Amino acid sequence: MQRTAPEDRGPVRYGPPAPESGLPVLPELVDVLAAASGRAEGEPPGGGPELREAACGYWWRRGLRSRPEEVAAASGAQPLLLALIGAYEGDVLMPRPCPAWWTPQVRLLGRPAYHVPTPAECGGVPDPFALLETVRRVRAEGGMPRLLLLSVADDPTATVAPPETVREACEAAVGEGLHIISDETWRDTLHRPHETVLLSPAEMCPEDVTIISDLAGALTPASWPVAVARFPRTDEGALRRARTLDFLTALGAVVAEPIAVAATHALDEPGPVIERAERAAALHARVASEVHRAVLAAGALARPPQAGRHLYADLGPLRSRLAERGVNDSMELEEYLSDRIGSPVPGGHRFDDELGALRVRLATGPLLGSTPEQRQESLTSPAPLELPHVAGALSILGTAFDELR
């Protein structure tokens, strides 16, 4: 992530990536990929039958019945979302803040993107009353709002939207004729899976929701790009899937055969894959909790992280101390904290938040160690926060915030 893009270059290529795990690749997946590395055939656009069948099994185990003809796969979440948006006409609405890569996808297609405030208790899902007001305003201005993007387990805020909030937002969207694209990349990274209720919009509005999931959220490494989408079981869903496949074909966004084999294995969720996902989520939960404690101790604000490998901090209460250091907006805050902590700390403006708001996303992956050996030790240790490399990284972060008290 480049902190400030030169004026003669667009900012898209310098946007922050999704929070990575910071952990070595699961050896079992490495073996599966290696065994398939000699395959010369390519997957068809939308994914082959084995990959789509495995995606159906993944969703069935989460209470979402699916058939292979309702599933499409692509070489990463970005081209898949681009194809999905392209398959629907009209303007796009999304919460503020939102993942850094959403808005560029919409604007690349020449569509207007409208951001809707989120409720106080969570991010990722628009406030239903604000959503209704935004839809009416856009229509009054001659726009055609047709799509709503949301994420019940959210990047950048690391929150999980309460079921009643999801229901109200979905009812408001469907009532206004919007189709919903639900990004559920982070649903398998819950910090307290037995205490947190995650409800997919597709469970409430099955005919009006398309799900997208980047497998790098919990199952595969980010360097193996593969994402899957689940379409509604309707005639309209079948038409939109066909249109999405047209886009994927034109983009050449097909999954490489060896990666498709590894992704199929991961989606089948054998014991080692499940164990790694659970241990990784627990590790990031412990580190995120410690980061959250440091943020609050300094007088800043942050919702308790509930999912993912990050949290979203609001340093607005420390504005006067930051101003003394020449920090007056999120761009300057990004540079300041990135220098102090020693790893990228993207500002809220990267997530379409207000530039003047002093908000940043803090990732936990960089705190797990600088070498594969250290990261593996962080994963397997019964007391990861006491490891010298983790404790040292947390100390640097804590000091950066303590200086602002």
Side-chain angles (χ1 to χ4, degrees):
M1 181 193 78
Q2 181 165 318
R3 297 169 192 164
T4 54
E7 292 181 359
D8 61 338
R9 298 182 181 179
V12 175
R13 75 191 78 166
Y14 304 118
E20 297 185 4
S21 72
L23 298 170
V25 181
L26 180 65
E28 179 171 319
L29 287 182
V30 173
D31 293 341
V32 172
L33 182 70
S37 62
R39 298 198 180 192
E41 305 86 3
E43 287 276 295
E50 294 85 2
L51 178 57
R52 289 184 285 114
E53 186 69 44
C56 289
Y58 169 87
W59 277 309
W60 270 61
R61 290 188 293 275
R62 287 152 181 81
L64 296 167
R65 295 191 173 187
S66 307
R67 299 179 297 185
E69 58 268 29
E70 298 157 4
V71 174
S75 54
Q78 288 84 353
L80 184 53
L81 181 62
L82 184 72
L84 285 173
I85 296 172
Y88 288 87
E89 298 178 352
D91 304 340
V92 183
L93 285 73
M94 60 190 77
R96 182 192 301 274
C98 65
W101 55 283
W102 281 7
T103 303
Q105 301 285 315
V106 178
R107 291 178 176 163
L108 187 61
L109 290 168
R111 307 280 187 84
Y114 298 95
H115 294 88
V116 185
T118 57
E121 66 268 20
C122 67
V125 175
D127 178 89
F129 296 104
L131 175 63
L132 292 172
E133 178 60 30
T134 302
V135 169
R136 290 163 185 162
R137 174 177 58 83
V138 171
R139 285 179 177 153
E141 295 172 354
M144 296 187 301
R146 297 285 179 81
L147 274 179
L148 171 65
L149 305 185
L150 54 77
S151 54
V152 288
D154 185 44
D155 170 26
T157 65
T159 58
V160 176
E164 60 273 16
T165 302
V166 178
R167 177 182 58 79
E168 292 171 0
C170 290
E171 288 178 349
V174 172
E176 292 294 332
L178 303 181
H179 186 76
I180 299 168
I181 297 179
S182 176
D183 183 352
E184 300 184 8
T185 293
W186 303 101
R187 70 169 299 153
D188 296 319
T189 66
L190 299 184
H191 293 182
R192 295 176 177 81
H194 301 297
E195 302 174 16
T196 305
V197 178
L198 187 150
L199 187 64
S200 170
E203 297 180 60
M204 293 177 290
C205 307
E207 297 185 354
D208 298 289
V209 177
T210 298
I211 297 174
I212 182 173
S213 180
D214 187 343
L215 300 194
L219 299 179
T220 62
S223 58
W224 302 1
V226 56
V228 290
R230 175 188 181 273
F231 292 82
R233 188 176 296 183
T234 62
D235 292 342
E236 180 71 11
L239 290 173
R240 295 306 176 189
R241 179 180 182 273
R243 183 61 174 154
T244 298
L245 294 184
D246 289 340
F247 270 83
L248 295 176
T249 302
L251 292 169
V254 297
V255 183
E257 181 75 10
I259 292 178
V261 173
T264 298
H265 183 80
L267 283 166
D268 286 337
E269 298 183 292
V273 171
I274 294 177
E275 181 184 4
R276 163 57 74 87
E278 291 176 348
R279 294 184 70 172
L283 170 62
H284 284 284
R286 296 179 71 174
V287 177
S289 179
E290 191 67 15
V291 174
H292 183 246
R293 184 203 62 76
V295 169
L296 296 186
L301 303 174
R303 299 185 184 99
Q306 297 174 290
R309 307 184 277 258
H310 54 285
L311 75 158
Y312 201 56
D314 183 352
L315 279 68
L318 307 176
R319 183 175 294 274
S320 61
R321 298 299 301 273
L322 286 165
E324 295 172 0
R325 293 162 171 79
V327 176
N328 297 287
D329 60 30
S330 64
M331 187 178 297
E332 293 171 344
L333 181 60
E334 173 182 296
E335 294 200 12
Y336 173 79
L337 284 179
S338 296
D339 285 337
R340 292 291 295 112
I341 294 174
S343 62
V345 181
H349 62 286
R350 304 277 191 175
F351 311 103
D352 289 289
D353 213 337
E354 300 173 6
L355 177 63
L358 296 172
R359 302 187 183 112
V360 292
R361 187 187 70 188
L362 297 164
T364 53
L367 305 175
L368 303 183
S370 58
T371 67
E373 293 76 18
Q374 288 182 343
R375 294 164 186 162
Q376 183 65 28
E377 186 180 12
S378 298
L379 180 67
T380 57
S381 172
L385 300 183
E386 298 176 10
L387 295 173
H389 55 273
V390 176
L394 287 170
S395 176
I396 292 172
L397 183 145
T399 299
F401 278 90
D402 286 342
E403 291 173 350
L404 300 174
R405 288 187 181 184

